[in-house]
């Protein structure tokens, strides 16, 4: 995946984006009453209504400034939202705006407005570079990043202290040494390695980046079975799995949800985690240490970034109204309200700068530090859904007894290339 260099201070200065950025794009709708239909995902982990309240407050403020435009919001769980939007589109009833997990299929089908058809130049230029890049298909941006996060190495400080580990690991060798001490101290999962089918494509990408490579090359072609990637899984199998440092459940059967739950119970010494897990673990009394993911000889070349997307559908022809509303959504006030309220990271340069400097967000600074140089999965490829599912189902075999990583990654890599050729 191609990455662009981000100069935060320079970008902010050049764009003059030191405050709220709404109101600098398209003019408000003035062609009669328009109702925009917005379908959005529910981010409330506790079953509350914080997501609904966010959108209610935002749309009320927008409608007060834009008489004649109404925004109807439909909140759906993450289990259902992508499917329901797909069903609406298939039935010829696409929403005007969808805030969901993927955009590529809709973009490839010509169903979305591009970013430059919707957003003012300052708003579009204000996206953090890795997120903007990941929102592109064939060099045109269709996916607008709505929320982001990165991954860090988490460790249980109490278990580290008890095992006599005084420094967080910064290399793979140090990680193995720490895991061995945790095992000697009877920690159930010295290092939890969730390569089960729930979210294995994410755990895999973190390790590939740690090993110096990733899913794609500089031309955005799959290279899953590269020499570096095979070496990474050889190391995992030899130094963590075969030394029985990954706990009682085989990595290929350990799902992320179960690994995270074990971490909040105090049963895991180390794992790769995200901001929401930090919040949940600390609620359960776990003191969470966190550092950048280690690589073979030091810090990994990049952290994995993750983004959820918002997009505008062409079907109802409300380009101007959709664009004006989205310019409002991406104001600093609204970006920070959503990110801060959900322990997520902001998607714009100006909001990033503010969050980085504000004391109330200090617990997110380690994640923020990794975001500008992060790499995201190849979500702009229509083949990614198929390739991702293949990784989920099969990557655990790479560290299973009696298998060779080169064979497993080779098969996944060949099938990824076939899927890419069919795009």
């Amino acid at each position: 995946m191609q990455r662009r260099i981000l100069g935060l201070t320079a970008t902010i200065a050049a764009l003059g984006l030191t405050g709220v950025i709404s109101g600098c794009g398209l003019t408000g709708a003035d062609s009669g009453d328009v109702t925009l239909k917005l379908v959005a995902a529910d981010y409330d982990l506790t079953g509350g209504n914080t997501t609904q309240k966010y959108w209610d407050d935002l749309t009320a403020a927008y409608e007060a400034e834009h008489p004649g435009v109404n925004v109807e919001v439909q909140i759906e769980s993450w289990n259902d939202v992508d499917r329901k939007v797909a069903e609406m589109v298939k039935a010829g009833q696409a929403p005007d705006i969808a805030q969901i997990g993927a955009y590529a299929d809709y973009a490839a089908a010509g169903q979305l407005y591009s970013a430059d058809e919707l957003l003012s130049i300052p708003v579009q230029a204000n996206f953090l570079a890795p997120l903007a890049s990941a929102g592109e298909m064939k060099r045109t941006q269709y996916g607008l990043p709505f929320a982001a996060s990165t991954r860090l190495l988490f460790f249980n400080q109490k278990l580290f202290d008890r095992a006599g580990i005084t420094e967080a690991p910064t290399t793979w060798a140090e990680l193995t040494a720490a895991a061995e001490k945790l095992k000697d101290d009877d920690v159930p999962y010295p290092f939890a390695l969730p390569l089960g089918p729930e979210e294995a494509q994410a755990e895999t990408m973190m390790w590939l980046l740690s090993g110096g490579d990733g899913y794609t090359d500089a031309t955005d072609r799959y290279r899953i079975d590269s020499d570096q990637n095979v070496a990474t899984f050889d190391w995992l199998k030899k130094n963590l799995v075969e030394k029985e440092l990954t706990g009682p459940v085989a990595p290929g059967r350990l799902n992320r949800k179960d690994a995270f739950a074990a971490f909040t119970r105090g049963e895991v010494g180390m794992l790769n985690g995200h901001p929401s897990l930090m919040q949940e673990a600390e609620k359960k009394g776990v003191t969470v240490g966190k550092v950048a993911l280690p690589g073979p000889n030091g810090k990994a070349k990049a952290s994995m970034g993750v983004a959820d997307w918002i997009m505008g559908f062409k079907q109802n022809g409300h380009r101007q109204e959709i664009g004006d509303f989205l310019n409002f959504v991406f104001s600093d006030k609204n970006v920070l309200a959503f990110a801060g309220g959900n322990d997520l990271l902001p998607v714009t340069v100006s909001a990033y700068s503010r969050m980085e400097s504000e004391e109330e967000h200090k617990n997110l600074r380690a994640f923020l530090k990794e975001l500008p140089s992060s790499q995201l999965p190849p979500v702009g490829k229509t083949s990614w859904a198929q390739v991702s599912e293949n990784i989920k189902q099969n990557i655990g075999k790479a560290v299973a007894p009696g298998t060779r990583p080169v064979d497993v990654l080779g098969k996944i890599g060949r099938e990824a290339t076939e899927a890419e050729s069919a795009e």
Side-chain angles (χ1 to χ4, degrees), residues 1 43 78 99-102 128 130-132 134-135 144-152 199 201-203 205-206 209 215 256 260 273-276 302-309 343-347 367 370-379 384:
M1 177 176 297
Y43 285 77
W78 271 112
Q99 189 274 296
I100 52 179
L128 287 155
L131 308 182
L144 313 180
F146 178 74
S149 69
T150 54
R151 301 296 185 260
L152 297 173
E199 196 73 9
Q201 86 289 353
E203 184 73 17
M205 184 170 179
M206 292 179 232
L209 291 173
Y215 282 133
R256 182 187 67 164
F260 282 11
H274 57 50
S276 296
S303 172
M304 185 185 77
V306 177
D308 300 324
W309 307 95
D343 275 332
L344 293 167
L345 306 183
V347 297
F367 298 97
E370 299 302 312
L371 186 58
S373 61
S374 65
Q375 288 193 22
L376 280 76
V379 293
W384 174 240

Side-chain angles (χ1 to χ4, degrees), residues 3-272:
R3 288 190 292 145
R4 290 176 280 182
I5 302 301
L6 172 68
L8 290 175
T9 304
T11 305
I12 293 169
L15 296 175
L17 295 169
T18 56
V20 174
I21 56 176
S22 65
C24 56
L26 301 174
T27 59
D30 57 6
S31 57
D33 287 353
V34 171
T35 296
L36 298 178
K37 176 70 173 181
L38 165 64
V39 179
D42 187 358
Y43 285 77
D44 196 311
L45 298 175
T46 62
N49 68 343
T50 58
T51 301
Q52 184 72 57
K53 185 177 186 306
Y54 170 82
W55 285 112
D56 286 348
D57 291 346
L58 186 150
T59 54
Y62 178 78
E63 289 170 356
E65 295 181 12
H66 300 79
V69 181
N70 301 304
V71 184
E72 291 183 356
V73 181
Q74 176 181 334
I75 305 296
E76 298 287 350
S77 76
W78 271 112
N79 293 332
D80 301 323
V81 68
D82 288 277
R83 173 179 57 81
K84 289 198 173 186
V85 169
E87 290 172 352
M88 294 169 71
V89 173
K90 186 175 181 181
Q93 299 173 344
D96 295 287
I97 302 167
Q99 189 274 296
I100 52 179
Y103 67 87
D105 286 344
Y106 302 122
Q111 295 167 325
L112 300 181
Y113 291 115
S114 64
D116 58 9
E117 290 177 301
L118 295 174
L119 302 178
S120 69
I121 292 172
V123 172
Q124 186 179 358
N126 196 29
F127 289 126
L128 287 155
L131 308 182
S133 179
E136 293 178 358
M137 172 176 285
K138 297 180 179 178
R139 299 188 181 276
T140 298
Q141 184 180 358
Y142 297 96
L144 313 180
F146 178 74
S149 69
T150 54
R151 301 296 185 260
L152 297 173
L153 175 67
F154 283 16
F155 57 92
N156 183 316
Q157 187 64 63
K158 180 179 178 181
L159 296 181
F160 263 44
D161 293 344
R162 197 177 73 188
I165 305 168
T166 58
E167 298 287 342
T170 58
T171 66
W172 284 357
E174 291 175 3
L175 188 148
T176 300
E180 288 172 337
K181 289 184 178 180
L182 291 163
K183 180 185 177 184
D184 291 343
D185 201 44
D186 297 323
V187 173
Y189 293 87
F191 188 98
L193 183 65
L195 294 177
E198 178 198 357
E199 196 73 9
Q201 86 289 353
E203 184 73 17
T204 298
M205 184 170 179
M206 292 179 232
W207 281 102
L208 299 187
L209 291 173
S210 295
D213 208 341
Y215 282 133
T216 56
D217 62 19
T219 63
D220 203 33
R221 310 292 289 183
Y222 289 117
R223 60 173 179 203
I224 294 172
D225 55 344
S226 70
D227 290 345
Q228 279 179 288
N229 290 342
V230 170
T232 293
F233 269 80
D234 281 338
W235 184 90
L236 278 172
K237 183 173 185 180
K238 178 180 178 181
N239 293 279
L240 291 183
V241 181
E242 291 180 350
K243 291 184 178 180
E244 299 182 346
L245 301 177
T246 54
V249 179
R253 291 189 292 109
L254 181 64
N255 282 325
R256 182 187 67 164
K257 181 178 179 180
D258 298 324
F260 282 11
F263 186 77
T264 66
R265 294 194 302 266
E267 298 172 4
V268 174
M270 295 177 285
L271 51 59
N272 295 329

Side-chain angles (χ1 to χ4, degrees), residues 204 208 214-217 220-227 229-230 233 381 383-384 386-392 394-395 398 404-422:
T204 298
L208 299 187
Y215 282 133
T216 56
D217 62 19
D220 203 33
R221 310 292 289 183
Y222 289 117
R223 60 173 179 203
I224 294 172
D225 55 344
S226 70
D227 290 345
N229 290 342
V230 170
F233 269 80
K381 300 169 77 66
S383 60
W384 174 240
Q386 178 182 342
V387 173
S388 174
E389 187 61 27
N390 192 2
I391 295 167
K392 289 180 183 180
N394 293 297
I395 196 64
R404 298 193 311 162
V406 66
D407 296 331
V408 176
L409 268 69
K411 186 172 188 295
I412 293 173
R414 289 190 297 274
E415 291 172 356
T417 298
E418 291 172 6
E420 186 173 49
S421 298

